[in-house]
Amino acid sequence: MSNVGKRLAGGQGPKPSRKGRLTRQQIVLIAVAAALAVALGITLAFRSLFVRPELPNKNGPQSGQDLNGDGVPDDGGIDWGSGTRPRADGERKSEDYYTVLILGRDTGGGGNTDTILLASYDVTNQKATVMSIPRDTMVNIPYDIKRINAVYNYYGQGEKGIQHLYKEISQLVGFEPDFQVVVEWDAVGKIVDAMGGVWFDVPRNMNYEDPYQDLHIHQEKGYRLLSGDDAMQILRYRYDTGKKYGYADGDIGRIATQQALLKEMVQQLLQVKNITKINEFAKVFQECVETDLSLQNCLWFAQAAYLGGLKAEDVNFVTAPGNYVASCWSRTYQNMQSYVTLYPSQLLKLVNEELSPFKEVFTLSDLDIMTVNADGSVRSSSGYVEDQKAAVPPVRPEPQPEEEEPAEESGGPVDPETGLPIVIDPETGEPAGTEPGNPGGGGTGVPGEANPGNTVPSGPAGGTAAPPVPETPNTAAPDPAPDPVEPVPEVPADPQLPADPGFTFIGPDPAA
């Protein structure tokens, strides 16, 4: 029977293929494509979450220039005036080398920027340096009180205050930091809480009460797990209630404690358990941080530190070296004001070796470091002093002579010439050494002749001289001793840096 016959007889032919069914090869291809799509999506999301910072162009052709004469730079930048223009560009020491100015603002103490940190981070070589600048550091500004922490409030706080403070720090170290971060101290406490606490060895007992600022500090010495509130108290502590001093070396001791706590936070933040808390840290960032870095930029730094293997020992915390017990005359307050005057050669060494991102070597003429001369005038390592009144010896008021206190009353007559009490003879009722009836009171044996010394002199009329009458002792209670003055502690120089030899000027001395 033929095939036709079989079909006619109802026989079955070949089965048609089913539509929509995928072959094994097609399934594999689709799976690979889906995996690639997911990977691409993750990569794009990853890239959008971690964004490498782009260095700002701070040295453009119009940067800082005021062409229309309204006192404001045309590009919104900084007017550097007649002072030294800090370096803003040049060949970098490595491909990814960044500098950040970090300002800690105390929201409970009037918004002062008492904590100033300049950080450099060499991402390529995984090395970082954080330098604390003491709040009493003298800077080159055109008005009387020259403490660096006064700049922010002097210019009205806010963005303008930050800009002027940024200017002074840039001139101090000779270069413009790439970015700036203003952190409210509350942020530190919130980060510590998000971490689940931070282990820290509290260096001393701390007890301070200030209801006006709603500041209550009560911490016990010792190693323990700190909460966010504990960390805030330790960072803000200066001295105990009713005491003039807290740390033996004053504000430098406070800076050392802050650095130690921040270093412990860095070390513990780099632990794996904290990598998963990005959302909590991002919330703190948005609430408590003002910066020209984006959140994605900050996360890029965190990722670079974690993946690059940055360790706590790779982060070097230092304090700007200087004379921490300097002083200078204030023409406003007519008294001596305390300052920190930095050591030029030691700061220059730090700038060139650890802080500046540029390969080009700085000289003292690039830095604007202030010091006080022996005659009370001030000068700058740049050779230019903005406050010209302070560049000459100050005119202090002449000390007024102390008025002599009148002799204490002895209950009897006093000789008008000597001021000494006159001794009365109890038998005659007359001054000792005089004859009865002599109204002159001098006593020479000659009626009516005065004897101003209240003694019987030698001579033809007086015979042998009598010994002088002794002065009546003062039996009044002595003046109370003055309150003891606590000496200002001497702060030893950094043992790793030699004593600073002083200035090597480039350019004219403004005080000459």
Side-chain angles (χ1 to χ4, degrees), residues 371-424:
T371 193
V372 182
N373 297 317
D375 61 6
S377 61
V378 302
R379 58 180 173 176
S380 166
S381 60
S382 69
Y384 175 79
V385 176
E386 293 190 30
D387 180 8
Q388 288 296 299
K389 292 181 180 179
V392 297
V395 178
R396 307 185 190 185
E398 293 292 334
Q400 299 297 323
E402 296 183 2
E403 296 184 1
E404 296 183 2
E405 296 184 1
E408 189 171 340
E409 296 184 3
S410 61
V414 178
D415 186 272
E417 294 188 27
T418 66
L420 297 175
I422 299 176
V423 180
I424 304 298

Side-chain angles (χ1 to χ4, degrees), residues 31 45 141 180 236 377:
I141 47 184
Q180 51 189 311
R236 298 180 67 184
S377 61

Side-chain angles (χ1 to χ4, degrees), residues 212-382:
Y212 178 76
Q213 296 188 49
D214 192 26
L215 179 58
H216 312 280
I217 299 176
H218 299 285
Q219 295 293 320
E220 292 185 1
K221 179 180 178 180
Y223 185 75
R224 66 180 190 277
L225 183 65
L226 303 181
S227 67
D229 184 59
D230 291 330
M232 287 295 303
Q233 292 181 31
I234 293 169
L235 288 172
R236 298 180 67 184
Y237 171 80
R238 289 185 184 145
Y239 49 82
D240 289 344
T241 301
K243 301 292 182 66
K244 293 182 180 179
Y245 301 103
Y247 296 101
D249 45 0
D251 195 50
I252 303 306
R254 182 189 186 217
I255 288 175
T257 298
Q258 291 178 344
Q259 291 177 347
L261 179 54
L262 292 176
K263 190 164 187 174
E264 287 296 327
M265 288 182 61
V266 169
Q267 183 173 4
Q268 296 173 45
L269 272 170
L270 292 175
Q271 296 175 1
V272 176
K273 65 178 183 178
N274 288 312
I275 303 301
T276 61
K277 300 178 180 179
I278 290 179
N279 289 336
E280 296 175 64
F281 296 145
K283 183 179 179 182
V284 176
F285 178 89
Q286 294 170 346
E287 291 177 350
C288 303
V289 176
E290 297 176 16
T291 179
D292 48 5
L293 286 165
S294 67
L295 174 61
Q296 290 78 9
N297 294 153
C298 295
L299 292 176
W300 184 88
F301 281 124
Q303 176 207 37
Y306 180 72
L307 297 181
L310 183 72
K311 300 180 179 61
E313 53 265 29
D314 300 323
V315 182
N316 183 25
F317 281 89
V318 297
T319 302
N323 177 9
Y324 303 131
V325 291
S327 61
C328 184
W329 179 259
S330 166
R331 59 180 182 269
T332 301
Y333 295 103
Q334 292 291 290
N335 60 16
M336 298 296 289
Q337 295 283 315
S338 62
Y339 287 97
V340 172
T341 53
L342 302 183
Y343 291 149
S345 63
Q346 293 185 20
L347 181 59
L348 181 65
K349 179 181 176 68
L350 274 174
V351 167
N352 280 323
E353 295 182 0
E354 300 198 44
L355 292 172
S356 168
F358 304 114
K359 285 186 176 181
E360 186 176 352
V361 177
F362 285 77
T363 66
L364 277 178
S365 63
D366 296 313
L367 277 57
D368 197 347
I369 307 173
M370 302 294 290
T371 193
V372 182
N373 297 317
D375 61 6
S377 61
V378 302
R379 58 180 173 176
S380 166
S381 60
S382 69

